[in-house]
Every structure is written in structure tokens, then in C-alpha cells.
Amino acid sequence: MKKVLVTYITHSGTTRDVAEAIAEEISKTGLEAQVSELTEVINTNDFDAVVLGAPMIIGWHRNALKYLKTHKAELASKPLALFLTAMSLTESPKPELAGVDFHVDQKLIVPPQKPGRFSFKESFTTFKHYLTPVLKAAPSSLKALAFFGGRLDIYRLKWFDALFVMLVVGAKPGEKRNWPDIRAWGAALPALLKLDEK
């Protein structure tokens, strides 16, 4: 049986919940899915594929980016999927990602206040701003990438993260996770990662 590592970074449990839902859907397809917080991952040698998720606060979580950079050679040997949770995503040109399935929860996207022009706050929540450092750090084995809504609880964030989210990004506290969308992506991952091939 092929094994998939679903690993995550979380501030308040939101991204862990998403990782667990994705792992459940992968398991339903007949594969073995193990969920672990990123700090608990020693190596990925025993897994046939890796799924890594983390929240957007001031960009994608710095420890997720660091992990991709540090383990780039190791991760390059197996299919990789990434998911990013966010509270705000401004409608903007999507990047050209050759060979990568790019999924976005359409309920998360908000059009800019002025068509064709981004405000200062909106410029921090475009695809380009969010994804440039992620794609630079990711190995060539990246096969799937997804944006999902998250849940924002200001009181669980560090004060400077909360300040950035409220004042710069302008995100409002609340729940934006779209469970049917998240679970559908999880169920599709074995095919996207080509793990259903013999």
C-alpha cells in the first residue's frame, strides 16, 4: 500500500483540521495517509508522496518555506502537493504552472475595488505576492497546489501577525473553510500525484 505524508503548520488548529480532512479523503481511495505536524517530521523516506500545508499570515508560513528549501533534494524524489490557507485573496492573473494542477476555492477570491488596479492592501493578497516565494522554494516534483479559505482568530496570533493581518491585509476574523472543496481536492490527490498508477 502506498503511503502519503500529510504534514502541516498551524497557529490555532485551523490548518491541522484541513490536513486531517485531506488525509481522510486520501485514505478513502485505498492509500495510507499519515498526518503529522511539520515539527515532528524527521524525514520522508518511508512515504511515496508528501502533502504540505500552512497558513498565510505575512506570506506563507516561514517555516514551511524553510522546510521546502532545506529538504528540496529529498522532496524532489517524490510527488509533492502544497496547500495554502488564507483569509483574503484578490482576483489577479494566475501564474503559469507547467505540470502543476492549480486549484483555488472560488469562494475565497474577491475582485479588486478598482478593476485592473490593486490598492496597497490588495497587492499583498494577489497570486503573485503569495506564490512567488513558494514556487521559488518548491522542488520540481511539485504536482498540485491549492488555495483554501482558513479560519482567523485574532486572539490566537502573535501581536505583530495580528496587526499585519488586520491593518495591512485587512482580513476580518471568522471562518472561511469550504469543507466540500477541501475534501474534493483531497479525494483527487492520488490521481494528481499519479499514485493511482501501477
Side-chain angles (χ1 to χ4, degrees), residues 89-134:
L89 182 60
T90 302
E91 187 176 14
S92 56
K94 292 182 181 180
E96 293 292 329
L97 302 175
V100 179
D101 182 83
F102 185 34
H103 174 81
V104 182
D105 177 359
Q106 294 302 307
K107 291 183 178 180
L108 182 62
I109 299 176
V110 176
Q113 291 181 341
K114 295 182 180 178
R117 184 176 162 196
F118 303 124
S119 68
F120 177 73
K121 289 182 179 181
E122 290 168 343
S123 67
F124 282 96
T125 59
T126 61
F127 287 118
K128 182 178 180 180
H129 180 79
Y130 277 155
L131 289 178
T132 297
V134 176

Side-chain angles (χ1 to χ4, degrees), residues 151-166:
R151 184 188 72 199
L152 179 59
D153 184 348
I154 290 295
Y155 299 105
R156 295 191 179 201
L157 294 179
K158 293 176 182 174
W159 69 267
F160 50 85
D161 288 340
L163 203 62
F164 182 86
V165 167
M166 288 189 299

Side-chain angles (χ1 to χ4, degrees), residues 4-71:
V4 180
L5 172 64
V6 182
T7 185
Y8 64 90
I9 294 173
T10 191
H11 280 295
S12 60
T14 298
T15 311
R16 180 193 64 232
D17 295 344
V18 174
E20 288 175 348
I22 289 169
E24 283 178 17
E25 296 304 320
I26 292 172
S27 296
K28 289 177 185 176
T29 69
L31 303 181
E32 182 180 339
Q34 178 181 314
V35 182
S36 296
E37 192 160 1
L38 190 59
T39 55
E40 299 170 355
V41 176
I42 298 170
N43 62 61
T44 61
N45 296 339
D46 295 334
F47 298 94
D48 297 288
V50 175
V51 180
L52 169 60
M56 286 287 181
I57 300 293
I58 304 174
W60 204 38
H61 199 288
R62 65 181 68 88
N63 289 341
L65 290 172
K66 182 179 178 182
Y67 184 83
L68 287 182
K69 292 172 186 174
T70 306
H71 297 83

